[in-house]
Amino acid sequence: TTTTTMPALCTEGIPNGIGVNSTDCADRFNRDTCTVGCMGAYEGDARVYYCNEGVLEAQGASIECVKKTCKQGLPEGPYDNSSCIGKEVGQFCVLSCMVGYIPMSGVFVCMEDTVFSGHVGTCELMPCAEDGKPSGVGVNSTDCIGKVAGETCVATCGNGYEGTTETISCGNDGVFVGSPPSCTLRRCDLPEELDNASIVHTCLSDGSAVAYGQGCSAGCATGYTGSLEDLHCDAPTLLGSI
């Protein structure tokens, strides 16, 4: 009589768990090997298992499957992607425009192929409102029209005024930052003709000449004849006939 010994079928130690694929280990007998891997939304290094007297044993480290994370698929540009870092398959995140841009956002989901899927519009720099540009008597801030976050402009004193020149910044919140220039009316240079004993005029008061936009008159002194002339200050020039 011949006795046949059947190899032991491995029924114990078969790896299982979320994401573990051990189908290759089905119907394995003593001294057989099989490969266990990860599947679906999970990833990890495949491991070899050995059937030892009905028990599957890992040849080295045991299988370990972890959820896949997405690292690509987000659009390039001035976006804040901090909420998308480390997202696993099936998880959502919000991609938004960075500070200094008009607020806008879009929702993305981490797909099983580890690529994000979603949509977000193009980020546009925050404009500074024109009604917020530097203002004041004699201030000229036309250079600040149309400025956006991060840009600078120059505010000066307009025609007929004199004073400082100031650099103004358009802030990330769409508000201009900086002080307007200090402007005062510019005074006219009096022509040499008025410094004549034969002429009297009202173009000088308390030692100061008339300023931009102001008027004065000049005529003949006592003992002299001639017409009275009206003069106008278009600083620095005094306009009119003397």
Side-chain angles (χ1 to χ4, degrees):
T1 302
T2 301
T3 302
T4 302
T5 303
M6 295 294 293
L9 179 66
C10 269
T11 56
E12 298 181 22
I14 299 176
N16 55 40
I18 299 177
V20 175
N21 180 8
S22 57
T23 55
D24 187 50
C25 296
D27 299 325
R28 294 294 178 174
F29 293 90
N30 193 37
R31 297 183 182 179
D32 284 344
T33 59
C34 60
T35 302
V36 179
C38 301
M39 61 182 178
Y42 292 80
E43 61 184 356
D45 295 332
R47 302 296 185 185
V48 175
Y49 281 73
Y50 176 76
C51 182
N52 182 19
E53 300 299 332
V55 179
L56 276 177
E57 298 175 346
Q59 300 299 287
S62 299
I63 186 69
E64 183 178 354
C65 297
V66 296
K67 203 76 172 285
K68 294 178 182 177
T69 58
C70 283
K71 298 180 179 66
Q72 55 183 330
L74 296 177
E76 296 182 358
Y79 299 103
D80 178 4
N81 64 355
S82 57
S83 73
C84 297
I85 297 175
K87 288 301 180 184
E88 299 175 345
V89 171
Q91 292 184 328
F92 292 84
C93 66
V94 176
L95 194 70
S96 57
C97 294
M98 298 178 69
V99 174
Y101 291 80
I102 298 174
M104 182 173 54
S105 60
V107 177
F108 285 75
V109 60
C110 180
M111 306 299 289
E112 191 168 312
D113 60 358
T114 69
V115 177
F116 281 107
S117 177
H119 174 74
V120 66
T122 302
C123 293
E124 297 181 358
L125 284 165
M126 178 77 74
C128 274
E130 289 187 16
D131 58 4
K133 66 182 187 296
S135 60
V137 176
V139 173
N140 177 10
S141 57
T142 54
D143 186 49
C144 296
I145 296 175
K147 295 301 181 182
V148 295
E151 293 183 336
T152 60
C153 56
V154 176
T156 61
C157 292
N159 185 39
Y161 289 83
E162 58 186 359
T164 60
T165 296
E166 302 291 343
T167 299
I168 309 298
S169 301
C170 179
N172 288 332
D173 56 358
V175 177
F176 283 109
V177 179
S179 300
S182 177
C183 301
T184 56
L185 280 171
R186 185 175 184 182
R187 297 191 176 275
C188 268
D189 298 329
L190 299 185
E192 293 181 357
E193 291 89 336
L194 292 180
D195 189 18
N196 190 309
S198 64
I199 297 176
V200 291
H201 62 86
T202 60
C203 300
L204 195 64
S205 177
D206 296 329
S208 297
V210 289
Y212 176 77
Q214 295 177 341
C216 60
S217 60
C220 294
T222 302
Y224 295 86
T225 60
S227 60
L228 182 67
E229 298 292 341
D230 290 326
L231 307 175
H232 179 75
C233 179
D234 186 15
T237 304
L238 189 63
L239 302 178
S241 299
I242 301 175

